[in-house]
Amino acid sequence: MKEDIYILGIESSCDETAAAVVKNGREVLSNIISSQIDIHTIYGGVVPEIASRLHVQNINGVIRLALKEAKKSFEDIDAIAVTYGPGLVGALLVGVSEAKALSYALKKPLVGVHHIEGHVAANFIEHRELEPPFVCLIVSGGHTHLVIVKDYGSFEIIGRSCDDAAGEAYDKVARAVGLGYPGGPKVDKLAREGNPHAVEFPRGEVKNSPYDFTFSGLKSAVLNYINHANMTGESIDKADLCASFQNAVVESLVERTIACAKEFGFETVAMAGGVSANSGLRAAMEEACRREGFKCCYPAPGLCTDNAAMIAAAGYYEFMKGNISDEYLNAVPNLKLGER
Ligand code: KG4
Ligand code: ZN
């Protein structure tokens, strides 16, 4: 085996067309993201058909740029890693088809990567010393999972959301408050100016499942609060509302994550996914870990949200395990965590 392994990562599961070159699973040589946010914002959310078309338009240029910035050629690449699920099927297919074509033409191995495994692997880029096992809270637009990362690419699910994902709740509340799409970062920003105790919103509990999450009750409580204010003509302090909503979300995420680490005997807690870019969540998890004497890890904000460096990092570990995909690799929109 060569001393250094270079993986080209490709990500197109939602509204970012991304490509990256990562050395030995940890060192990012380039990380190019072509965001479609401006276009989807016009429609108030991601339009799948438009996302697919824009991926087709942008993917070759994004890959070319990733190689150029990394100062590598296709010949230097050891394997091509691509997200094959979960995500929007048409969007995923663009990346998967591109990766298959490159793999065939260049005679380089193809590695299909689970998008959420990629999010977790962003931590390996940020924390070069981090190794499994550890507890990880995965909070994205589509997933809220509390897992034990047993090994690279091997997860035991301890808890999950039984309704909305945390990011979904953020986006819906943002829309109700009139902040628009994408909501998470906007609620985060406004929450910093508000009082987190202004409104006591409910913290959802799932009966007999202490590690599961529920956000639908909280979301309804926020919507009811807004409707009530509209009906009675009262004005709403948006900053207080965002801060109070965020406080309820963060509390339920942090509480379960710390309890899980304690019960299962782990002293390292990591976070992954778009919502782990949230400033309130980062501060609260840091503080809780400091109290317990745990190590707290999370990626830089740009590595929390969708990117291809995380896919290359996860792809590196799959490649080293010999998990190579064949030319029949297909997009799997509802791929479950832990499935291949
Ligand atoms: O991981 P991600 O980029 O895409 C998925 O795989 O879903 O996560 C996107 C989600 C969106 O719901 C977005 O509103 C949320 O992450 N998000 C945030 C923040 N940044 C992104 N939520 C709260 N605070 C943030 N700063
Ligand atoms: Zn994602």
Side-chain angles (χ1 to χ4, degrees), residues 134-301:
F134 55 88
V135 165
C136 188
L137 173 71
I138 304 164
V139 271
S140 72
H143 288 75
T144 300
H145 278 80
L146 183 55
V147 304
I148 292 170
V149 182
K150 294 192 290 184
D151 198 351
Y152 295 102
S154 168
F155 306 96
E156 182 181 343
I157 300 172
I158 305 298
R160 53 157 62 90
S161 173
C162 53
D163 39 61
D164 289 352
E168 214 175 337
Y170 264 97
D171 293 337
K172 285 177 182 169
V173 164
R175 188 173 300 171
V177 178
L179 298 178
Y181 171 86
K186 291 180 177 159
V187 172
D188 187 2
K189 190 158 174 253
L190 203 52
R192 277 177 238 156
E193 295 159 25
N195 172 10
H197 303 291
V199 192
E200 275 311 308
F201 286 125
R203 275 70 170 151
E205 302 274 336
V206 182
K207 215 173 160 202
N208 300 326
S209 303
Y211 292 118
D212 284 343
F213 305 90
T214 168
F215 297 111
S216 65
L218 169 62
K219 183 190 64 190
S220 302
V222 173
L223 298 182
N224 287 342
Y225 182 87
I226 295 169
N227 287 341
H228 182 263
N230 286 343
M231 268 159 41
T232 54
E234 287 166 48
S235 67
I236 294 172
D237 186 318
K238 289 185 181 183
D240 279 354
L241 183 72
C242 289
S244 301
F245 160 75
Q246 179 156 299
N247 191 38
V249 174
V250 166
E251 207 174 279
S252 78
L253 294 174
V254 172
E255 205 173 71
R256 285 165 179 76
T257 309
I258 297 295
C260 172
K262 276 178 158 174
E263 181 177 339
F264 293 90
F266 292 99
E267 293 188 345
T268 300
V269 166
M271 295 195 284
V275 182
S276 63
N278 185 268
S279 58
L281 176 59
R282 290 159 95 102
M285 195 67 88
E286 283 269 16
E287 173 57 22
C289 285
R290 197 191 49 74
R291 256 194 331 261
E292 300 295 336
F294 294 166
K295 183 175 163 44
C296 184
C297 300
Y298 44 79

Side-chain angles (χ1 to χ4, degrees), residues 118-127 136-137 270-273 276-277 282 296-305 307 310:
H119 274 303
V120 174
N123 282 288
F124 300 134
I125 295 171
E126 196 68 41
H127 304 275
C136 188
L137 173 71
M271 295 195 284
S276 63
R282 290 159 95 102
C296 184
C297 300
Y298 44 79
L303 289 172
C304 288
T305 45
N307 65 87
M310 69 184 198

